[in-house]
Amino acid sequence: MAVFPSVQWFDAVRGVFNADESYQGGGGGACNALMGLKIAGQSFLVTFEGAECSAAVKVQDNDLAAADYILEMSYADWKEMIQNIATNGHADLHHTLNTLDLGRPEGLSHSMHGDQYREDLFFRYNQTMQYFFDASARVATEFME
Amino acid sequence: MTDKTDDKSPPQPPPPQTAPPQTAPPQPAPPNLKWMGKTHQWGTRVKPGKHGLRLGDLNVGIYGEVPPVWTDQTRAPRGAVSRRGVPPLGYAIRDKVDLWADSAADMYEEAIQRRWAPAVDVPWSTVKPLPDDVERSICQVCTELSQYANADVESVTYWQSQMAYGYHEIKQFLATVSFDGARHMEVFRKRALCNGGGLGLEGPGEVNRMILESRGGWTEAVLYLFIVRGLFTQTMYRYLHRYAHNDAERTIFAHCLEDKARHLTYAIDHLRYAVNHQDDQNLILQQLCFIGERVLVRELKDVVLREALTIVFGNGISGAEQGGRIFRRMMSDYITRYLATLKWLGVERRTLFPEELSAYLKAS
């Protein structure tokens, strides 16, 4: 049982994601991006290189400046998304990254640099990022109290 | 007329063989092989990296030298020895500043690796009968989106043929863009024809015409095709994904969104390169925005697409009020992103921005 969020949890999701070849076909595939995450006061950087998610590390807040884009929302919203994915095997239409980004005035995705080229990676690899979080359906998850 | 099956006449002898000439057969010329020495750089050994042997990896030595102007008027590949006396082809776009984007080689690889096939990658069996007003609306949206995709193909292929071969990464990437356009035409047509509906009314096509008749250069076309129109289309894909009625539509718009984002990446990369390497390019783009935005406003006055999207988002005419709110939010998101993109490119849009567009920002 891995606690969300933690490096252990991201590593478990990476394991499922990297082992499932179905994520690489039909519009998936090569993806090169550094995704930042802010969850419950903790910061993480997740690296996608080619066909795999190669690393997940916990970092200081200011290290997120290196991220191409940062996903940030309240812990309650993160928890609801992960639980929804676990229930359905994947996010339903109310809990996709795209929906969550559209549904909040400040968006789900933002950056610290305003670089439109790098921010566009959130859309360029949107389905791959969705596959990544959908892979968490196969990870036994424990939530922080 | 004689029927061949009733022909009883004896077979005729074959015509006499002509005697072969008595002269000796021509001897092949001794090999020349002088061409074997014709190279500017021999001994190149590019090795595949962690992600395979990619197009950009080949840019080593002289093969990676991308000059600011490509003076050769033939189809000589970059780094090859030009053949003397080849008639010029008259490429119109020979300045790097008019087409270049550093990301093109990588995105060419990405477009190929992330390809998808509507025939098999869309779960068509999830499309079930929808209320008549919703089906008519989604079909209308698909009709107009397939026109947008057709404009992508026609515009890109028109300009691509005028680009000097020396900038081959750009031509190769744009080949994937036109293929993406063809794929989008295909998938929207399929969606319109797979559920008891059909194609609807042709769109007004004012922006399409502006894109296709743009003759000021490829940079101008990039602004209109990928920024003015492309960002609008991409935002629409995001909302159509959000309000999809089945997994097929969800898959379609998720993949189209990614394809469109790749086009936008090229556009941002190229326009930034052009602004940074050409005096007053940002002012030129600003002037072009004045024109493009007004054409867009004129097209948006046509109610058909707006009403169809409103019904799709509201899940029926009865939900039009809710659908209208979502439509206005979509427009606000589009304009916000459009202005942020231009600002990042160094193109100022505080003045003469159409009231019809800024009204969406105020309302949100």
Side-chain angles (χ1 to χ4, degrees):
Chain A
M1 189 83 81
V3 176
F4 176 81
S6 65
V7 170
Q8 185 195 9
W9 186 86
F10 283 113
D11 283 346
V13 175
R14 286 198 310 114
V16 175
F17 175 81
N18 290 338
D20 191 335
E21 287 188 4
S22 71
Y23 293 146
Q24 302 303 323
C31 169
N32 296 289
L34 186 60
M35 174 172 68
L37 297 144
K38 284 190 82 167
I39 309 166
Q42 300 178 60
S43 299
F44 300 88
L45 284 173
V46 178
T47 307
F48 291 85
E49 282 184 294
E52 66 169 5
C53 178
S54 58
V57 291
K58 190 172 180 182
V59 296
Q60 297 298 314
D61 258 15
N62 54 6
D63 294 327
L64 290 178
D68 292 312
Y69 53 88
I70 301 162
L71 306 186
E72 181 177 10
M73 58 182 170
S74 72
Y75 187 68
D77 289 343
W78 278 112
K79 184 176 175 182
E80 184 181 323
M81 182 189 92
I82 300 298
Q83 285 176 327
N84 178 269
I85 287 169
T87 302
N88 300 301
H90 58 80
D92 70 12
L93 271 179
H94 302 285
H95 294 88
T96 64
L97 298 176
N98 179 47
T99 296
L100 294 170
D101 190 55
L102 290 175
R104 37 186 42 75
E106 68 282 13
L108 165 66
S109 175
H110 63 89
S111 75
M112 292 170 76
H113 41 64
D115 182 331
Q116 297 296 307
Y117 178 94
R118 293 170 69 190
E119 285 184 17
D120 190 46
L121 294 175
F122 174 68
F123 303 111
R124 236 165 88 191
Y125 301 134
N126 193 268
Q127 201 54 37
T128 297
M129 301 300 150
Q130 191 63 60
Y131 289 151
F132 178 78
F133 283 105
D134 285 353
S136 73
R138 285 174 270 168
V139 171
T141 300
E142 191 178 346
F143 293 97
M144 293 163 46
E145 288 308 315
Chain B
M1 189 168 135
T2 309
D3 185 338
K4 282 188 178 176
T5 54
D6 292 339
D7 190 353
K8 303 285 192 223
S9 57
Q12 297 296 310
Q17 295 284 320
T18 308
Q22 295 302 307
T23 53
Q27 295 295 312
N32 174 298
L33 303 184
K34 285 180 183 171
W35 56 268
M36 282 193 163
K38 299 283 187 188
T39 177
H40 289 309
Q41 184 174 317
W42 193 249
T44 309
R45 285 191 178 81
V46 179
K47 303 287 186 206
K50 188 177 176 184
H51 306 303
L53 187 58
R54 297 176 301 180
L55 184 62
D57 298 335
L58 305 179
N59 282 343
V60 296
I62 64 158
Y63 302 105
E65 291 173 6
V66 185
V69 180
W70 189 259
T71 52
D72 187 282
Q73 279 280 37
T74 72
R75 289 198 181 92
R78 191 168 76 220
V81 178
S82 294
R83 185 182 286 264
R84 296 178 65 188
V86 174
L89 288 161
Y91 287 122
I93 303 174
R94 295 189 292 153
D95 289 351
K96 187 178 178 184
V97 73
D98 290 334
L99 79 175
W100 190 251
D102 287 336
S103 60
D106 287 344
M107 287 204 300
Y108 166 76
E109 296 282 359
E110 186 176 307
I112 289 173
Q113 290 184 15
R114 295 180 72 86
R115 69 190 178 278
W116 55 289
V120 293
D121 291 326
V122 174
W124 293 107
S125 62
T126 65
V127 180
K128 305 293 182 200
L130 291 169
D132 186 62
D133 53 352
V134 176
E135 184 62 29
R136 284 180 190 277
S137 298
I138 193 73
C139 286
Q140 178 60 39
V141 170
C142 286
T143 302
E144 300 206 29
L145 287 178
S146 70
Q147 285 181 254
Y148 289 8
N150 182 57
D152 288 359
V153 175
E154 289 188 16
S155 174
V156 166
T157 50
Y158 169 80
W159 288 104
Q160 192 188 20
S161 66
Q162 301 184 46
M163 294 175 179
Y165 191 19
Y167 304 114
H168 62 85
E169 296 94 334
I170 307 298
K171 291 169 78 85
Q172 286 170 276
F173 171 68
L174 290 177
T176 71
V177 175
S178 57
F179 195 86
D180 289 342
R183 185 197 289 123
H184 295 183
M185 284 166 67
E186 169 199 351
V187 80
F188 296 132
R189 193 171 182 85
K190 284 179 174 173
R191 172 59 193 90
L193 301 183
C194 75
N195 199 29
L199 292 170
L201 180 65
E202 178 187 5
E206 301 216 26
V207 175
N208 283 349
R209 183 171 286 274
M210 172 181 75
I211 292 166
L212 293 168
E213 293 185 352
S214 152
R215 290 293 179 267
W218 171 238
T219 301
E220 175 181 316
V222 166
L223 177 73
Y224 288 154
L225 183 64
F226 297 128
I227 304 294
V228 176
R229 160 58 67 70
L231 275 171
F232 179 66
T233 312
Q234 191 194 47
T235 311
M236 210 189 307
Y237 288 165
R238 294 191 67 199
Y239 275 80
L240 288 164
H241 173 263
R242 166 65 185 89
Y243 294 97
H245 295 89
N246 45 61
D247 280 349
E249 289 174 10
R250 181 176 165 169
T251 304
I252 290 168
F253 293 113
H255 288 323
C256 287
L257 169 64
E258 292 188 327
D259 292 345
K260 210 65 191 161
R262 208 163 43 242
H263 308 170
L264 185 64
T265 296
Y266 166 77
I268 292 173
D269 202 6
H270 166 59
L271 293 175
R272 196 157 167 91
Y273 185 88
V275 166
N276 288 338
H277 290 83
Q278 189 152 294
D279 288 345
D280 291 343
Q281 183 64 57
N282 58 334
L283 298 178
I284 294 169
L285 292 174
Q286 185 189 44
Q287 290 294 323
L288 292 169
C289 286
F290 292 160
I291 301 165
E293 289 155 6
R294 276 150 186 80
V295 176
L296 177 65
V297 165
R298 217 165 51 225
E299 177 160 296
L300 289 171
K301 285 181 179 163
D302 183 81
V303 298
V304 179
L305 183 64
R306 183 169 71 233
E307 289 183 357
L309 286 169
T310 297
I311 294 167
V312 170
F313 298 154
N315 203 23
I317 294 172
S318 59
E321 194 176 325
Q322 161 82 352
R325 275 198 297 274
I326 297 168
F327 175 83
R328 288 189 290 279
R329 205 165 69 228
M330 182 194 86
M331 290 303 298
S332 170
D333 283 355
Y334 158 60
I335 293 159
T336 301
R337 186 116 193 273
Y338 171 74
L339 294 174
T341 301
L342 290 172
K343 184 179 177 188
W344 192 72
L345 291 170
V347 179
E348 183 49 65
R349 288 305 301 114
R350 275 181 301 194
T351 54
L352 296 176
F353 191 66
E355 178 58 32
E356 293 90 338
L357 297 181
S358 58
Y360 285 111
L361 291 178
K362 291 172 192 159
S364 67

